[in-house]
Amino acid sequence: MTSENADSKAVLRREAFARRRALPPEIRDRFTVRLIDEGLRLARLWRPSAVSAFHPIRDEPDALALLGALADKGFMTALPVVAGRGSHLIFRLWRPGDPTVIGAMGIVEPLDAAPPVEPDLLFVPLACFDRGGHRIGYGAGYYDRSIERLRAMKTVHAVGVAYGVCEVHAVPYEAHDQRLDAIVTEQETIFADER
């Protein structure tokens, strides 16, 4: 990654985090309800064998409620596990109520005893996004490596989960950055256009 791209991504990430932090609680609550509805709709559309979402950190939207709704409808659900720096994520079967541990990155993860699974629908956290399906995450590349690996094996849909205030005009990206198929916000579902 060029230092210019890294610098501009860092600025966009910082600004998006500030906008996200400023959101009132009622928008967060409303988004949880919309995410459940829209996540179920997309799962019915794409019929995945397994669905992954994320345990929210900081001010991220609550994807756990979506996982609960998906599990209740019979979908196999999973959470990611960070295996180590520079690696791809390992996805382990999990549904709300299953035991968890705090992982190496300080994020809640399923136990090592939970069976691994290769999801083909991933609900992905992000800092900011554009309508071309490009995202800025937290800078470690775990999701890019994981989505690339999964897409080399089968058809995979990656859906960003973000508040509308996290949209930017254009995300600087490079060849290794994986595009999202869609982004779900509290206001709309954006299917990525070609950029």
Side-chain angles (χ1 to χ4, degrees), residues 95-115:
R95 56 188 298 149
D98 287 354
T100 57
V101 296
I102 303 297
M105 302 295 285
I107 299 171
V108 175
E109 299 175 345
L111 302 180
D112 286 344

Side-chain angles (χ1 to χ4, degrees), residues 32-115:
T32 299
V33 173
R34 183 169 194 292
L35 180 57
I36 292 168
D37 292 343
E38 195 59 6
L40 286 170
R41 186 183 77 82
L42 293 174
R44 289 181 185 117
L45 173 69
W46 289 322
R47 300 181 176 277
S49 60
V51 184
S52 172
F54 53 92
H55 199 288
I57 59 172
R58 302 181 186 141
D59 304 302
E60 288 177 342
D62 181 7
L64 295 182
L66 170 59
L67 277 184
L70 288 163
D72 288 347
K73 295 295 183 186
F75 289 96
M76 200 166 25
T77 56
L79 280 177
V81 173
V82 176
R85 275 258 187 246
S87 68
H88 61 79
L89 297 165
I90 296 170
F91 298 91
R92 294 193 177 278
L93 289 179
W94 185 87
R95 56 188 298 149
D98 287 354
T100 57
V101 296
I102 303 297
M105 302 295 285
I107 299 171
V108 175
E109 299 175 345
L111 302 180
D112 286 344

Side-chain angles (χ1 to χ4, degrees), residues 5 8 15 23 28 33 48 51 54 57 59 67 85 87 109 119 121 124 126 129-130 138 160 179 186:
N5 270 351
S8 61
E15 290 171 349
L23 289 170
R28 297 175 191 284
V33 173
V51 184
F54 53 92
I57 59 172
D59 304 302
L67 277 184
R85 275 258 187 246
S87 68
E109 299 175 345
L121 174 54
V124 180
L126 54 86
F129 67 91
D130 66 24
Y138 292 87
R179 286 181 72 222
E186 76 280 13

